[in-house]
């Protein structure tokens, strides 16, 4: 895809982010942060592609890097969503 | 295997799920579902990638990576205590940043070995690689420092527990080893050696026992300028070489190394009450780094998800700055409390009255509305469960309405107090925002402040020269009676005296937060 398209997507997504997140109440700031953090683990996709490359597709070093990135990103994704879930389950309304 | 077209459509669906997921976070009722929606989006994106034509089908590393990451992530998430949540969030932020750096590095290696893939825009790729490496590295190293300061093993003078010392040494050795490895890999060429020097400097920096020292702002500035210079050089070299030379790779590592020092110095001097700003800012960085990685590998879902997180972090950072009436540069570069002229503390605290649990129980008996204002001290003494017990007891025994007033920057991360009180089963509709509390302050008969100081300091409103001038506060001075639970009269993070402690309607209960509440519960039960 060409650069202008990608930049358009980038800018519009930032605006969507602003619109959606401005409405989050202070009570939920911590879960918002840890949930958003889990979403930023989306780099896992790049890591998967790099880690899975065969010898014809990429040099071994790039492959090793993929493995390292995959470990980091998976901790981020799995840990982030689980801990957010754990926190959110605690928020209850008055009995 | 799916076609790239179908994979891209699944990516769009994932992006939509992320947006709905974040939207769900707008209310506690929908938040659990929102988080699960986001997780579903992530799962879809991962599965689509595993079936995409870009995937290489060499499974060993993929399975190892997923297994190790999932186990570590799950163990951390399940076992961590709620009071340690700021540390964990900082750590996870760092891992996100690290992943971005390494993916960008992997792409660069591939590019130099195999040449540019068809249709690659080399300008875009090189600039994005520089930004992903730079921002990702600042995120990772900054987050490590934030983690270390929150877990209280960095920039402290006291003796560390063995596990704290272990983490500190392990991290420093890893940083230094990374530098040595890079220097060695490039036969100690100029750039390779410089990278070595910066990584070792970063490692040494983590042993500093002082958070602020002369010259730290100069290091911040110089390393910031150096990252820009090296970044520009790297872009130029990549564009000129278009592959087939190793030098840009050395430059990439040098960039990451300088950014490491930048991340460390930017975060090192920030502490205490400014921590929520830093955590929110690092959160934003981790998102922007992911978006930049998206530009490196030409992937829209990375760009969308990354920008959403970037925007969310910026909003939180901004809210935290407003809640302290400070600008972001002031938090990052300014040392707080230096503008204060000497106020005679003894004079301010001349009329301090202290009280006991029994006396407080008597005051509570006649109260109708009680406000509890929690601060970081509640987290430190782990008093949230006792606080809840007292609140429940007061409601059951004397039908007192107990409310909670939470300042936006109370604690060490945005929303810190709310999570702790939620853990203790305090219903969220009792946790009121600052403005709501202030508008009903005149009806409050008794305000109990636990472990908060600067956020209730009336000086913010009365003294334009104070370091916290203009900061919005919870105006407990307007409540009928104020009880402040604190171990001593020592100042808060801003380092200034708090005249509220000596106000006519205020009594101090000198005690550890948890102990104070346990004693108050006993006293109420007996009366």
């Amino acid at each position: 895809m060409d650069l202008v398209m990608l930049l358009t997507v980038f800018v519009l997504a930032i605006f969507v982010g602003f619109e959606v997140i401005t409405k989050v109440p202070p009570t939920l700031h911590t879960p918002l942060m840890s949930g958003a953090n889990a979403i930023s683990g989306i780099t896992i996709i790049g890591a998967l592609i790099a880690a899975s490359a065969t010898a014809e597709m990429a040099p071994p070093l790039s492959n090793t890097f993929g493995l390292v990135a995959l470990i980091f990103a998976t901790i981020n994704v799995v840990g982030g969503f689980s801990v957010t879930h754990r926190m959110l389950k605690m928020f209850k309304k008055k009995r | 295997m799916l076609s790239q077209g179908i994979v891209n459509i699944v990516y769009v669906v994932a992006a939509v799920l992320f947006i709905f997921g974040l939207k769900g976070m707008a209310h506690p009722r929908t938040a659990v579902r929102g988080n699960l929606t986001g997780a579903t989006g992530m799962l879809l994106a991962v599965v689509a990638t595993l079936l995409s034509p870009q995937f290489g089908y060499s499974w060993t590393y993929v399975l190892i990576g997923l297994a190790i990451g999932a186990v570590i992530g799950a163990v951390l998430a399940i076992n961590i205590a709620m009071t340690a949540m700021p540390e964990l969030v900082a750590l996870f932020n760092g891992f996100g940043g690290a992943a971005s750096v390494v993916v960008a590095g992997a792409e660069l290696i591939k590019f130099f070995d195999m040449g540019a893939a068809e249709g690659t825009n080399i300008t875009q790729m090189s600039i994005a690689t520089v930004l992903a490496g730079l921002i990702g590295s600042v995120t990772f190293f900054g987050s490590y420092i934030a983690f270390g300061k929150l877990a209280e093993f960095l920039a402290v003078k006291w003796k560390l527990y063995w596990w704290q010392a272990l983490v500190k040494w392990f991290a420093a050795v890893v940083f230094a080893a990374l530098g040595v490895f890079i220097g060695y890999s490039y036969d100690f060429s100029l750039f390779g050696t410089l990278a070595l020097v910066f990584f070792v400097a970063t490692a040494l920096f983590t042993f500093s026992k002082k958070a602020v020292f002369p010259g730290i702002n100069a290091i911040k500035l110089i390393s910031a300028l150096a990252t820009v210079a090296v970044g520009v050089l790297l872009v130029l070299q990549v564009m000129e070489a278009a592959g087939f030379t190793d030098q840009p790779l050395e430059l990439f590592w040098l960039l990451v190394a300088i950014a490491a020092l930048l991340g460390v110095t930017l975060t090192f001097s920030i502490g205490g009450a400014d921590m929520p700003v830093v955590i929110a800012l690092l959160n934003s960085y981790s998102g922007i780094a992911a978006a930049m990685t998206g530009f490196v590998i030409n992937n829209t879902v990375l760009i969308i998800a990354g920008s959403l997180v970037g925007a969310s972090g910026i909003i939180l950072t901004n809210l935290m700055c407003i809640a302290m009436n400070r600008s972001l540069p002031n938090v990052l570069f300014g040392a707080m409390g230096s503008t204060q002229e000497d106020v005679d503390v003894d004079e301010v605290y001349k009329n301090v009255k202290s009280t006991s649990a029994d006396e407080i129980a008597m005051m509570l008996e006649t109260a109708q509305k009680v406000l509890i204002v929690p601060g970081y001290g509640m987290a430190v003494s782990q008093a949230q469960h006792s606080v809840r017990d007292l609140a429940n007891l007061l409601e059951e025994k004397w039908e007192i309405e107990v409310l909670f007033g939470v300042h936006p920057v109370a604690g060490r991360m945005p929303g810190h107090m709310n999570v702790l009180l939620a853990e203790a089963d305090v219903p969220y509709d009792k946790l009121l925002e600052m403005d709501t509390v202030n508008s009903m302050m005149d009806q409050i008969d008794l305000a109990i402040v636990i472990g908060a100081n600067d956020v209730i300091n009336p000086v913010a409103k009365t003294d334009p020269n104070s370091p916290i001038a203009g900061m919005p506060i919870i105006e407990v001075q307007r409540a009928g009676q104020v009880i402040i639970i604190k171990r001593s009269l020592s100042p808060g993070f801003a380092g200034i005296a708090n005249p509220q402690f000596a106000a006519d309607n205020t009594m101090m209960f000198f005690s550890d937060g948890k102990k104070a509440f346990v004693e108050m519960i006993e006293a109420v039960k007996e009366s």
Side-chain angles (χ1 to χ4, degrees), chain A residues 6 14 18 21 25-30 33 36-37 40 52 54 58 65 67 72 76 81 85-86 88 90 92 94, chain B residues 25-26 35 55-56 58 77-78 80 92-93 96 102 110 253 283 298 309 312 315 413-415 418 425 427-428 433:
Chain A
L6 292 176
I14 288 180
F18 274 118
I21 290 143
T27 305
L28 290 176
H29 276 169
T30 299
M33 218 167 46
N37 180 234
S40 79
S52 69
T54 52
F65 273 47
L67 171 64
F72 278 133
N76 198 193
F81 281 119
H85 188 70
R86 212 182 120 197
L88 286 172
M90 302 183 318
K92 290 183 208 84
K94 199 146 76 188
Chain B
M25 292 285 185
N35 185 50
F55 190 72
S58 148
I78 292 167
I80 200 88
F92 282 164
N93 267 332
V102 185
K110 198 161 96 185
W253 293 119
N283 189 227
N298 262 310
V309 179
S312 131
I315 291 175
M413 70 177 161
N418 305 74
D425 278 330
Y428 61 77
E433 291 173 33

Side-chain angles (χ1 to χ4, degrees), chain B residues 403-524:
Chain B
L403 298 167
F404 292 82
V406 184
H407 193 278
V409 292
R412 289 295 180 264
M413 70 177 161
H416 191 181
M417 294 298 118
N418 305 74
V419 170
L420 291 180
L421 290 168
E423 185 204 10
D425 278 330
V426 175
Y428 61 77
D429 39 359
K430 291 186 150 240
L431 307 178
L432 304 182
E433 291 173 33
M434 179 169 58
D435 294 343
T436 321
V437 172
N438 284 340
S439 68
M440 57 194 290
M441 192 61 79
D442 299 320
Q443 307 157 27
I444 302 288
D445 303 306
L446 184 68
I448 303 177
V449 179
I450 165 170
N453 186 349
D454 295 332
V455 298
I456 56 151
N457 194 340
V459 160
K461 300 217 129 181
T462 53
D463 180 4
N465 295 320
S466 146
I468 59 167
M471 175 171 128
I473 57 164
I474 296 195
E475 297 163 8
V476 288
Q477 73 266 29
R478 292 195 285 116
Q481 180 68 242
V482 183
I483 305 289
I484 297 175
I485 299 167
K486 219 175 162 301
R487 271 180 294 202
S488 67
L489 286 171
S490 63
F493 178 67
I496 51 173
N498 190 340
Q500 184 62 42
F501 295 172
D504 284 343
N505 66 347
T506 302
M507 290 199 220
M508 301 294 296
F509 184 5
F510 293 109
S511 168
D512 167 73
K514 186 171 180 178
K515 201 161 140 267
F517 271 82
V518 171
E519 284 175 18
M520 276 151 49
I521 290 167
E522 287 305 313
V524 170

Side-chain angles (χ1 to χ4, degrees), chain B residues 283-305:
Chain B
N283 189 227
S284 173
Y285 288 168
S286 76
I288 297 170
M292 289 309 136
T293 312
F295 280 99
V296 177
I297 62 171
N298 262 310
N299 189 313
T300 41
V301 72
L302 261 77
I303 297 178
I304 297 175

Side-chain angles (χ1 to χ4, degrees), chain B residues 90 137-147 259-260 262-264 267 278 282:
Chain B
S137 179
V138 168
T139 312
F140 175 74
F141 287 94
S143 297
Y144 169 69
I145 299 298
F147 166 72
L262 178 63
V264 166
T267 325
V278 184
L282 289 168

Side-chain angles (χ1 to χ4, degrees), chain A residues 1-89:
Chain A
M1 224 182 292
D2 79 326
L3 180 59
V4 179
M5 281 289 289
L6 292 176
L7 277 176
T8 313
V9 170
F10 177 64
V11 173
L12 291 182
I14 288 180
F15 275 97
V16 172
F18 274 118
E19 278 306 306
V20 171
I21 290 143
T22 313
K23 299 181 186 83
V24 175
T27 305
L28 290 176
H29 276 169
T30 299
L32 167 72
M33 218 167 46
S34 81
N37 180 234
I39 292 178
S40 79
I42 188 71
T43 334
I44 195 172
I45 286 178
L48 280 171
I49 294 172
S52 69
T54 52
E56 301 90 65
M57 295 167 79
L61 186 60
S62 147
N63 234 314
T64 315
F65 273 47
L67 171 64
V68 175
L70 187 56
I71 294 175
F72 278 133
T74 312
I75 297 177
N76 198 193
V77 168
V78 173
F81 281 119
S82 335
V83 86
T84 310
H85 188 70
R86 212 182 120 197
M87 268 190 276
L88 286 172
K89 273 200 311 191

Side-chain angles (χ1 to χ4, degrees), chain B residues 93-241:
Chain B
N93 267 332
F95 288 155
S100 296
V101 176
V102 185
V103 168
E107 280 302 306
L108 203 61
I109 293 169
K110 198 161 96 185
F111 173 72
F112 287 120
D113 203 73
M114 307 269 173
E118 209 174 316
T120 305
N121 179 339
I122 293 180
T123 319
Q124 172 198 328
M125 187 241 171
S126 56
I127 294 177
T129 306
V130 165
L131 290 175
L134 170 59
I135 301 169
S137 179
V138 168
T139 312
F140 175 74
F141 287 94
S143 297
Y144 169 69
I145 299 298
F147 166 72
K149 295 195 81 158
L150 287 164
E152 298 187 324
F153 66 85
L154 290 181
V156 294
K157 291 184 187 74
W158 55 77
K159 198 166 156 30
L160 302 178
Y161 295 111
W162 66 269
W163 64 269
Q164 288 177 318
L166 187 74
V167 175
K168 185 173 175 171
W169 275 93
F170 176 76
V173 168
V174 168
F175 299 163
L178 197 61
V180 172
F181 176 73
I182 289 163
Y184 173 77
S185 305
Y186 297 107
D187 293 329
F188 299 101
S189 65
L190 175 62
F191 294 143
T193 312
L194 278 174
L196 168 84
V197 170
F198 274 99
F199 270 123
V200 171
T202 304
L204 290 177
F205 209 101
T206 61
F207 286 100
S208 165
K209 292 193 171 171
K210 280 203 286 191
V212 189
F213 43 83
I216 192 172
N217 276 341
I219 304 180
K220 289 178 201 172
L221 194 66
I222 292 169
S223 43
L225 292 175
T227 52
V228 174
V230 173
V232 170
L233 200 59
L234 177 55
V235 171
L236 292 176
Q237 286 227 355
V238 173
M239 286 170 64
E240 199 174 303

